[in-house]
Amino acid sequence: MHDLVIRGGTIFDGTGRPGREGDVAVDGVRLTTVGGKAARGRREIDARGKAVSPGFLDIHSHSDSVALIYPLAESKTRQGVTTEAIGNCGNSAFPLLGQARDRASSMMKAMGIDTSWTTLGEYRTEVERRGVAVNLAPFIGHGTVRAAAMGMDDRAPTADELARMQELVTQAMDDGAFGLTTGLIYPPGCYSSLEEVVAVARPAAAAGGIYMSHLRNESDRLLDAVDEAIQVGRRAGLPVQISHHKAAGRDNWGKIRDSLAAIDRANAGGLDVTGDVYPYTAGSTSLATLIPAWAHAGGTGALVERLKSPETRARFRREMEEGLPGWENFAKQAGFDNVLITSVKTEKNAGLPGLTVAQAAARRGQDPYEALFDILVEEEATPGMVVFMMDEADVVRVLAHPKMMVGSDASGVAPYGPMARAKPHPRAYGTFPRVLGYFARDKGLMPLETAVWKMTGFPAERLGLADRGRLAAGLAADIVVFDPATVADKATYADPHRFPQGIEMVIVNGQVIVEGNANTGTKPGKVLRRSR
Ligand code: CU
Ligand code: ZN
């Protein structure tokens, strides 16, 4: 008698093999039968006509601290996500030391969470003590390590500071981190040189980790930035994952052909380079990213002070209109008509989420630059934004490429609590069903088994997670049952807090976390360790 039997579904095992009909049985936290006919179960699920696949693995997530606020991660789990790789874009929830601690704890305090931990080991203990629905695969962020070792300074590290950064990476790798990430457009990561990144990546390489990067540029200098990531992989000696691969800005549409060719060449030359993509033509990040990088030196307080000065405002406007060499200029790439404000913290500005910067300016009777600067001051640089800047043809090219997998670039949120009034990017709720439904089924971009592989077996292999991402006897029981005929994303930019359809059951470590269009409240997730 098995604990649970999922009977008669079409099994997509996560390897890319086409589906075949059969039973799946679970005992405890493990899969015990996959395919063929299983013995009876204490619980039996009729999955005839449904697809049964491994739980989806979101290789690009930002649920680090959010996992403590939304432990059920409804926006992710309702999509079928069972594991999230966190610590992306250079920003991790550990080590919380120095200015990294100040930044994280003020943000967390605003959401009612005490940052009791410092290291990855302590973070793991805290997350698991509170409970979490999904598994988390933690990476250490270079930006966090840099803030911990040398604050938010716009300069190169001293030899001692660099050694300290390496020591912090070594400690996290010893605690089971999966590798190092960078966010080379964000302060303080943007103040680093290639040499620094190579040096900080070395201890991650030595411990068998991988390097995942939000490139230094995803627009005019995309190809240089891809080349830089490849150089980090070559010189530090570790596999490279290009995060949320895209070409931003109309002038750069189509450059994805060249960037994918560069990735192919690097692979042909023996380096292991892959990437991920979210299936949308808008990006999303902090609204303050519209302000030139130099102005973030010293941290958020210093940025807000600079935003108050009329002389500095004049300089920002000039630099944003003309561009600055080496700086990712979203306002210029997209235009204020294509930048949506997604969240605010003050009551006074509660009407802003969902408006473009241009609309917000018109409503306030202001010029868009002045409106932007004022909003950033009033909100202490905390708002988020959605930026329309990609071409769907490029999104399709990346999705279809054999070295590219699916990642949401979102955190696990829910339609209640602190995010209820925000308008997060719909990728938070729709990424995986959108690939399965809109791209694979409706547009015929790839067979269903390939789409499933890009969100299960492929990312699991990337992370070195030997016992997840596939359905096979003996592996961890992370499972999704979905209806391939109806699976679809429902979240939109205007109405993002909408769960997808067609995801019928989600199982993590042998326990049902989603059933009947609702979370069960169970929290069987673990903070995973890199297996070597
Ligand atoms: Cu990211
Ligand atoms: Zn990023």
Side-chain angles (χ1 to χ4, degrees), residues 60-62 88-90 186 214 243-244 278 284 408-410 427:
H60 195 101
S61 165
H62 288 284
N88 275 294
C89 297
Y186 299 115
H214 179 147
S243 296
H244 44 61
Y278 48 82
S284 178
S408 75
D409 200 7
R427 68 194 183 190

Side-chain angles (χ1 to χ4, degrees), residues 157-405:
T158 64
D160 281 355
E161 287 163 344
L162 190 62
R164 178 72 179 134
M165 289 162 70
Q166 292 176 314
E167 189 188 323
L168 292 170
V169 171
T170 300
Q171 185 186 25
M173 296 305 293
D174 287 347
D175 274 345
F178 288 76
L180 178 77
T181 73
T182 53
L184 298 177
I185 70 161
Y186 299 115
C190 60
Y191 306 135
S192 65
S193 65
L194 169 61
E195 277 62 37
E196 174 185 329
V197 176
V198 169
V200 177
R202 284 208 169 101
I210 68 168
Y211 173 68
M212 304 209 289
S213 180
H214 179 147
L215 302 176
R216 204 177 289 274
N217 191 286
E218 298 180 311
S219 55
D220 297 345
R221 298 188 180 192
L222 171 65
L223 300 178
D224 294 341
V226 168
D227 186 58
E228 182 183 29
I230 289 170
Q231 287 196 54
V232 172
R234 284 218 182 96
R235 290 172 52 183
L238 77 182
V240 175
Q241 172 94 355
I242 311 279
S243 296
H244 44 61
H245 193 30
K246 65 172 81 73
R250 193 171 286 271
D251 293 348
N252 303 304
W253 289 357
K255 270 189 191 169
I256 276 295
R257 289 194 195 87
D258 301 320
S259 66
L260 291 172
I263 290 166
D264 287 340
R265 280 196 303 278
N267 278 296
L271 188 69
D272 182 0
V273 188
T274 52
D276 52 78
V277 59
Y278 48 82
Y280 294 88
T281 56
S284 178
T285 186
S286 153
L287 185 67
T289 312
L290 297 181
I291 305 300
W294 64 266
H296 298 254
T300 304
L303 170 67
V304 171
E305 281 315 305
R306 290 182 184 112
L307 278 161
K308 289 178 184 165
S309 142
E311 296 82 56
T312 322
R313 284 187 176 204
R315 178 173 167 192
F316 288 157
R317 178 193 289 257
R318 194 169 62 245
E319 291 172 344
M320 290 167 69
E321 276 167 0
E322 292 166 10
L324 272 179
W327 170 57
E328 186 83 283
N329 187 344
F330 286 103
K332 194 173 182 208
Q333 293 300 341
F336 288 126
D337 283 330
N338 288 309
V339 178
L340 284 175
I341 298 166
T342 59
S343 61
V344 294
K345 66 173 187 177
T346 68
E347 203 49 48
K348 155 175 194 247
N349 289 324
L352 293 182
L355 298 183
T356 65
V357 172
Q359 288 166 334
R363 194 173 277 197
R364 290 167 158 246
Q366 282 183 303
D367 150 282
Y369 285 95
E370 290 302 314
L372 171 68
F373 301 151
D374 280 352
I375 291 165
L376 286 171
V377 171
E378 290 158 19
E379 299 294 329
E380 295 176 304
T382 58
M385 67 173 174
V386 155
V387 191
F388 292 88
M389 56 186 178
M390 283 87 86
D391 184 15
E392 186 158 301
D394 280 342
V395 174
V396 161
R397 284 182 188 108
V398 182
L399 261 179
H401 190 277
K403 292 289 180 189
M404 296 289 142
M405 55 197 93

